[in-house]
């Protein structure tokens, strides 16, 4: 009788062939299962019904085999984790949850669901370690795996939102309200949600709904959102536009008042006539520049154009602000990848009154994460090995680290 060839199916990681060649012992419950002629149907059914282990076509690593060139592989897997048609898992390390690190729980669960086929295969592969006991394998069932996938799918947008507000570039306070609107849609309970998903949505949104609820903070965020050209249509309220108008008028009125000469420069009433003449002679205006040939040729047209401009009524500051607001509303939004601060910088000539006001809002970051990173960089720069470093040198090193 020819020796029995080692089976290639992954199911044999859970069974040991009996000496008669027609039966196999289950490695978990030691039950003897019929496998006449190498048929593994009964063994698959036993694993599925008794141990909750299902097999799908997905390659993780080669099964026990004698000829690697002829082997085909299958393993336990989560249906949502296969990448394309190849079924090959990415080579990633497992992650652990750290209480002081943002999103570490989500990253741990995402990596677990991604690498679960390899985790389970490694846990039960006798080539790597002794097979795990039945009660330890039963701790993670299909229901637990389903919940893990639901959790990862539900928290993915929350993770992306955290990265957005903690970014070092273009993370202004104008994006907070639009992100909260996105999260509110994500955590709105739907009719087909399971009890597990419903519980997560309710608890997370209950906590998020308490954030940014102060009246002053809410008003500030609304104004910052409208002045952010990426999200200016996310807040539709005439009251916010009215506040923007009043703030622009106030800011430019104060700026104009600051540009006026001081009292010491304007009080010339007590001076004598001779002194005034000396001052006038001292501050005589420079002679007008010589006109170019083109200016001399079209001098009449230029004078006519100048007279038309002078005849038009001058707009007040409030009218100028109203014109800029209407023009700003008529402009289309910009993509989220563009910088709002850079956009306003390019609009200084077109929207001079609003651009200065927008800088006061958009300079406020969405979170304290960038400044905390600067403190971390300072801690790495000023170390015991550099105890004699000068403050000026430390400032230069930190600046170069964060800006180069």
């Amino acid at each position: 009788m020819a020796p029995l060839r080692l089976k290639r199916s992954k199911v044999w990681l859970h069974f040991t062939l009996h000496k008669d060649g027609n039966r196999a012992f289950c490695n978990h419950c030691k039950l003897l299962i019929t496998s006449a002629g190498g048929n593994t149907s009964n063994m698959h059914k036993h694993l599925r019904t008794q141990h909750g282990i299902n097999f799908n076509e997905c390659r993780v690593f080669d099964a026990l085999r004698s000829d690697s060139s002829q082997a085909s592989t299958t393993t336990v897997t989560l249906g949502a984790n296969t990448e394309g048609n190849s079924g090959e898992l990415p080579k990633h390390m497992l992650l652990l949850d750290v209480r002081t690190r943002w999103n570490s729980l989500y990253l741990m669960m995402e990596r677990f669901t991604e690498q679960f086929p390899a985790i389970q295969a490694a846990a039960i592969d006798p080539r790597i370690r002794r097979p795990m006991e039945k009660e330890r394998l039963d701790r993670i069932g299909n229901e637990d795996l389903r919940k893990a996938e639901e959790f990862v799918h539900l928290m993915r947008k929350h993770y992306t939102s955290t990265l957005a507000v903690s970014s070092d570039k273009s993370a202004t306070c104008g994006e907070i309200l639009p992100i909260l609107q996105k999260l509110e849609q994500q955590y709105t309970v739907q009719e087909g949600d399971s009890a597990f998903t419903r519980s997560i949505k309710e608890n997370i949104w209950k906590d998020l709904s308490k954030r940014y609820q102060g009246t002053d903070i809410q008003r500030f965020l609304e104004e910052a959102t409208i002045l952010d050209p990426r999200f200016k249509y996310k807040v539709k309220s005439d009251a916010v536009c009215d506040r923007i108008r009043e703030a622009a008028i106030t800011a430019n009125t104060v700026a104009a008042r600051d540009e006026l000469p001081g009292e010491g420069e304007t009080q010339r009433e007590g001076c004598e006539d001779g002194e005034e003449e000396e001052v006038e002679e001292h501050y005589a205006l420079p002679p007008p520049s010589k006109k170019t040939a083109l200016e001399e040729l079209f001098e009449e047209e230029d004078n006519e154009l100048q007279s038309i401009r002078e005849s038009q009524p001058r707009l007040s500051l409030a009218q100028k602000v109203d014109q800029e607001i209407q023009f700003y509303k008529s402009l289309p939004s910009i993509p989220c990848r563009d910088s709002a601060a850079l956009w306003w910088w390019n609009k200084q000539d077109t929207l001079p009154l609003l651009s200065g006001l927008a800088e006061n809002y958009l300079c406020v970051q969405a979170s304290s994460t960038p400044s905390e990173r600067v403190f971390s960089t300072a801690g790495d720069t000023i170390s015991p090995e550099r105890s004699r470093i000068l403050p000026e040198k430390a400032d230069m090193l930190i600046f170069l680290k964060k800006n180069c």
Side-chain angles (χ1 to χ4, degrees):
M1 181 177 178
L4 293 174
R5 191 163 65 92
L6 192 59
K7 304 298 180 181
R8 292 191 300 245
S9 175
K10 267 295 195 180
V11 74
W12 288 103
L13 292 176
H14 301 268
F15 288 89
T16 302
L17 188 65
H18 192 267
K19 60 182 179 180
D20 60 10
N22 294 322
R23 291 176 296 175
F25 287 104
C26 177
N27 294 336
H28 309 298
C29 61
K30 305 303 180 183
L31 188 66
L32 198 60
I33 305 297
T34 302
S35 61
N39 192 339
T40 59
S41 300
N42 293 332
M43 291 186 283
H44 279 284
K45 182 178 180 180
H46 174 77
L47 291 176
R48 184 174 61 254
T49 58
Q50 300 299 324
H51 304 291
I53 300 176
N54 296 321
F55 284 80
N56 294 324
E57 293 183 357
C58 175
R59 295 184 179 180
V60 178
F61 53 81
D62 293 337
L64 294 174
R65 61 197 177 182
S66 59
D67 187 2
S68 59
S69 62
Q70 300 177 356
S72 62
T73 60
T74 58
T75 188
V76 183
T77 184
L78 293 174
N81 291 328
T82 57
E83 293 189 0
N85 297 323
S86 63
E88 296 181 358
L89 293 179
K91 296 180 180 181
H92 291 157
M93 298 179 62
L94 296 179
L95 301 176
L96 294 178
D97 179 25
V98 181
R99 298 186 64 181
T100 57
R101 188 178 295 274
W102 287 1
N103 302 308
S104 59
L105 177 59
Y106 164 78
L107 294 175
M108 180 185 70
M109 296 303 299
E110 182 189 39
R111 187 62 55 83
F112 171 78
T113 56
E114 176 193 89
Q115 299 293 326
F116 177 75
I119 294 172
Q120 190 172 26
I124 61 180
D125 193 344
R127 298 175 301 171
I128 300 177
R129 52 167 297 166
R130 296 179 58 186
M132 303 178 69
E133 297 84 359
K134 175 179 180 299
E135 57 271 12
R136 295 183 65 186
L137 286 174
D138 287 344
R139 290 179 183 176
I140 301 178
N142 289 339
E143 181 66 17
D144 298 323
L145 299 178
R146 182 188 62 80
K147 290 181 178 179
E149 287 183 327
E150 288 183 5
F151 175 81
V152 172
H153 176 73
L154 186 62
M155 298 300 294
R156 182 171 289 113
K157 189 167 292 187
H158 197 112
Y159 169 67
T160 308
S161 302
T162 305
L163 295 180
V165 299
S166 59
S167 173
D168 284 334
K169 297 181 179 179
S170 301
T172 65
C173 60
E175 64 188 37
I176 293 178
L177 292 185
I179 289 177
L180 284 177
Q181 293 174 3
K182 280 282 187 181
L183 293 178
E184 185 178 7
Q185 297 175 1
Q186 176 75 1
Y187 296 126
T188 300
V189 178
Q190 305 294 334
E191 185 176 353
D193 290 340
S194 63
F196 176 74
T197 302
R198 186 186 302 269
S199 175
I200 292 180
K201 287 183 176 181
E202 291 176 350
N203 285 285
I204 291 181
W205 184 246
K206 181 181 179 181
D207 180 74
L208 288 178
S209 59
K210 300 177 182 177
R211 311 291 180 92
Y212 311 108
Q213 291 303 308
T215 303
D216 295 338
I217 295 178
Q218 191 70 22
R219 289 163 62 96
F220 181 83
L221 292 179
E222 290 175 349
E223 296 164 7
T225 304
I226 285 188
L227 289 175
D228 193 325
R230 300 170 296 178
F231 310 109
K232 62 180 180 179
Y233 296 120
K234 296 294 184 180
V235 177
K236 299 179 181 179
S237 175
D238 295 335
V240 181
C241 294
D242 294 339
R243 296 202 301 267
I244 292 291
R245 178 180 180 275
E246 295 175 1
I249 294 174
T250 303
N252 288 279
T253 301
V254 173
R257 186 183 303 121
D258 293 340
E259 292 178 359
L260 294 176
E263 295 181 358
E265 299 177 6
T266 58
Q267 292 180 355
R268 301 291 184 181
E269 297 179 356
C271 299
E272 297 181 357
D273 295 338
E275 294 179 356
E276 290 181 359
E277 292 177 358
E278 293 178 0
V279 172
E280 290 178 358
E281 292 177 359
H282 182 71
Y283 292 103
L285 295 175
S289 59
K290 183 179 179 180
K291 293 183 179 181
T292 63
L294 189 64
E295 289 176 334
E296 292 181 0
L297 185 62
F298 292 93
E299 183 177 4
E300 296 180 0
E301 286 81 354
D302 290 343
N303 294 335
E304 182 179 357
L305 180 61
Q306 184 68 22
S307 61
I308 293 175
R309 290 180 177 178
E310 294 177 354
S311 63
Q312 293 179 351
R314 297 187 61 182
L315 298 178
S316 64
L317 179 60
Q319 291 174 332
K320 292 180 181 178
V321 171
D322 291 337
Q323 281 187 351
E324 290 192 11
I325 291 177
Q326 294 301 323
F327 180 68
Y328 174 65
K329 288 182 178 180
S330 65
L331 296 176
S333 300
I334 63 175
C336 293
R337 65 175 178 270
D338 295 342
S339 172
L342 181 60
W343 187 89
W344 278 109
W345 177 266
N346 296 328
K347 295 294 181 181
Q348 283 183 331
D349 296 335
T350 309
L351 303 170
L353 302 179
L354 288 182
S355 60
L357 180 65
E359 293 178 358
N360 297 334
Y361 286 88
L362 299 181
C363 67
V364 181
Q365 295 178 327
S367 68
S368 61
T369 307
S371 59
E372 292 173 0
R373 292 194 182 107
V374 175
F375 284 113
S376 299
T377 302
D380 297 336
T381 304
I382 306 174
S383 60
E385 291 78 9
R386 293 174 170 176
S387 59
R388 300 186 65 181
I389 188 173
L390 296 176
E392 295 80 5
K393 181 63 70 63
D395 290 341
M396 289 188 290
L397 291 176
I398 295 172
F399 178 84
L400 293 175
K401 175 67 176 180
K402 302 303 295 184
N403 295 278
C404 296

